[in-house]
Amino acid sequence: MRASVGRWIGYPTSVLVVGATLVLLKLFPQLTTSSIALLLLLAVFFCAWVWQSGPGLLAAVLATLGFNFLFLPPLYTFTIEDPRNVSALVVFLVSGLLIGRLSALSRQRLTLLEAERRDLIALTQLSQGFLADTNRESLLGVAADRLRQALQCEQIAILLADERGDL
């Protein structure tokens, strides 16, 4: 439940991040449009990195619309006067979408890598435990303890068969 709340909070927060970035950029009229575009892409990257792809995509679209509305002539309309600005906006949008997607993928892969690292550490500890003990009872005790830790459960039982095959 908590993870889904955290994920959904990214959408309104992305709107706030892009909006705040646009307001701050508007306060500095000496900035060039290329500097403004790069700073907006940085906001998109931040949203995608923190809240994954969906909020990152929303941030990219909002940043593109805000860039067009606030910084490209004619100002305060969505009309594009110069044909070169059409290609600039398309490149900006595609760049924002790609940055958002790639940063979200990067974060997902980092999470998977950390999980694999934890599994590898658990397996390494298990093999070290096996190598450290040589008698059967202590090996089985180490195996049961390590399995209990790896599976995150309270108890593990290893049952052995006797000479007749009974447990």
Side-chain angles (χ1 to χ4, degrees):
M1 174 81 181
R2 186 174 182 185
S4 65
V5 170
R7 187 174 186 155
W8 287 106
I9 196 81
Y11 289 97
T13 310
S14 290
V15 171
L16 290 174
V17 167
V18 172
T21 304
L22 289 166
V23 168
L24 285 173
L25 291 173
K26 200 64 178 162
L27 295 176
F28 296 97
Q30 68 274 16
L31 290 174
T32 64
T33 54
S34 59
S35 296
I36 292 167
L38 290 174
L39 291 168
L40 283 170
L41 283 176
L42 187 62
V44 170
F45 173 76
F46 174 77
C47 292
W49 180 256
V50 174
W51 297 290
Q52 302 294 323
S53 291
L57 295 175
L58 176 63
V61 170
L62 292 175
T64 302
L65 292 172
F67 182 56
N68 180 22
F69 190 79
L70 295 172
F71 300 103
L72 294 179
L75 296 180
Y76 311 114
T77 69
F78 290 108
T79 305
I80 302 172
E81 187 175 89
D82 187 354
R84 291 178 292 182
N85 286 341
V86 172
S87 61
L89 274 177
V90 169
V91 168
F92 179 82
L93 178 62
V94 169
S95 298
L97 294 174
L98 286 174
I99 285 172
R101 185 65 186 139
L102 291 174
S103 65
L105 280 174
S106 170
R107 185 169 180 170
Q108 289 170 349
R109 288 184 179 161
L110 179 63
T111 303
L112 288 173
L113 184 65
E114 289 171 350
E116 289 175 359
R117 182 179 166 274
R118 285 190 302 272
D119 291 345
L120 184 60
I121 288 171
L123 288 173
T124 302
Q125 290 173 345
L126 179 62
S127 65
Q128 287 173 346
F130 280 138
L131 293 174
D133 291 320
T134 55
N135 67 33
R136 184 169 120 172
E137 287 77 22
S138 64
L139 282 175
L140 290 174
V142 168
D145 186 53
R146 303 299 171 141
L147 282 171
R148 184 188 56 75
Q149 290 174 358
L151 298 174
Q152 298 176 351
C153 59
E154 292 182 25
Q155 292 182 348
I156 292 279
I158 298 176
L159 303 176
L160 298 175
D162 59 14
E163 302 83 35
R164 296 178 306 179
D166 295 331
L167 296 178

